[in-house]
Amino acid sequence: MFPVKQPWLCKALGCYDCCVRCLGAVPYASLAATLLCYAGTALFCVSAHMALAQTEVLVEMHFARNIQDYIILASFIKYFQYVIYGLASFFFLYGILLLAEGFYTTSAIKQKFGEFRSTQCSRCLSLTLVIVTYILAIIWLAVFAFTAIPVYFFFNMEDTCHTINILAETTTSINQHAWVCMDARQYSLLPWHAMPGKACGMTLAAICKTTEFFWTYDLYIAAFAGAGVTLLSLFLYLVATTYNYAVLRFLGRKAMRC
């Protein structure tokens, strides 16, 4: 196909073939899932950590006068922030493990007609990753649903403030909008004996205009989005690891026939 008297061209074609083989051995599904996992976990951990801190400030300033009324909430926020640190470390290491397993299995596919043979240990490891990823997906589905609760709370709060502003502009009575309230105790953020526990009327409207409210609301939305991206990456991991296990099982049976 090309003159033999040009060795540099042969060498260049050899590099090209090497690059094509390397690109063909890349587990693109596992790589995409790893990038999504890192991006989603980072977004969730950073946003949730900051949002929880801002929530404690909002509750302390506007919904509870006594520190004993929100001491349970403050303790929960503190412990959950430590859990966030552990989640970030765990998913970083687990993503590397799944990506390495994807590279290994992709190489197995490319060499299944050569000298490569899958071992029982590799099949056992792949099956273990399938089971662990499945369990993580179920757990993270619960986390995804849990992060929707504060988003729902702040959405209702913003909608209530919008209603108060409309009533304030359309009615002449000062007390017309005083019955419109947002009770944090109804969402189990505070015990029922907490005082005041709720904000009503223009007091609530003033809270909704603060920087702390918008900042916390945006952070919870970002944490909710990050949890969704992480859940999507786990589903991609689940598909990739299941396929990888099927490939290794097929290669194991092929080796037994040989």
Side-chain angles (χ1 to χ4, degrees):
M1 298 297 292
F2 53 86
V4 184
K5 295 182 179 181
Q6 296 180 359
W8 62 271
L9 187 58
C10 298
K11 186 177 180 180
L13 186 59
C15 293
Y16 174 77
D17 290 339
C18 182
C19 292
V20 170
R21 291 180 181 178
C22 290
L23 291 176
V26 174
Y28 293 101
S30 297
L31 182 60
T34 302
L35 295 177
L36 286 175
C37 182
Y38 286 166
T41 304
L43 182 61
F44 171 79
C45 291
V46 174
S47 300
H49 186 277
M50 298 178 65
L52 289 172
Q54 290 294 325
T55 300
E56 185 177 0
V57 174
L58 278 175
V59 170
E60 182 181 1
M61 292 178 59
H62 304 290
F63 291 96
R65 299 191 182 98
N66 190 357
I67 189 174
Q68 297 298 326
D69 293 337
Y70 63 92
I71 189 66
I72 298 178
L73 178 63
S75 300
F76 171 79
I77 289 175
K78 179 181 178 181
Y79 291 130
F80 195 78
Q81 286 176 337
Y82 286 116
V83 171
I84 288 175
Y85 300 146
L87 283 176
S89 303
F90 172 78
F91 274 100
F92 176 76
L93 297 176
Y94 193 67
I96 294 177
L97 179 62
L98 289 178
L99 185 61
E101 192 264 350
F103 272 105
Y104 170 78
T105 311
T106 304
S107 299
I109 298 172
K110 299 301 179 183
Q111 303 177 36
K112 66 181 179 180
F113 295 108
E115 299 178 355
F116 181 88
R117 292 294 182 270
S118 64
T119 62
Q120 185 176 1
C121 180
S122 63
R123 294 193 297 272
C124 181
L125 176 61
S126 184
L127 179 60
T128 303
L129 290 177
V130 172
I131 297 174
V132 173
T133 305
Y134 183 79
I135 295 174
L136 286 176
I138 295 177
I139 295 175
W140 203 257
L141 184 62
V143 174
F144 179 68
F146 180 76
T147 53
I149 297 177
V151 176
Y152 177 73
F153 172 80
F154 280 93
F155 174 79
N156 284 345
M157 189 172 177
E158 185 182 36
D159 186 68
T160 304
C161 292
H162 181 67
T163 303
I164 293 174
N165 292 329
I166 292 177
L167 291 175
E169 293 175 359
T170 57
T171 59
T172 57
S173 176
I174 299 178
N175 297 324
Q176 184 67 27
H177 47 72
W179 59 273
V180 182
C181 301
M182 195 68 190
D183 197 340
R185 296 169 296 187
Q186 292 180 347
Y187 296 87
S188 300
L189 295 177
L190 296 173
W192 283 106
H193 58 79
M195 294 300 294
K198 62 180 181 179
C200 302
M202 297 308 296
T203 302
L204 178 60
I207 296 174
C208 292
K209 294 179 181 179
T210 59
T211 306
E212 292 82 5
F213 172 78
F214 286 106
W215 183 239
T216 308
Y217 190 17
D218 292 339
L219 286 173
Y220 274 121
I221 293 176
F224 180 71
V229 173
T230 306
L231 183 61
L232 176 61
S233 70
L234 288 175
F235 284 141
L236 289 178
Y237 273 138
L238 188 59
V239 173
T241 52
T242 304
Y243 176 75
N244 293 343
Y245 172 70
V247 170
L248 291 177
R249 192 177 181 86
F250 167 76
L251 292 177
R253 290 179 178 178
K254 183 174 180 291
M256 290 177 63
R257 296 193 196 102
C258 296

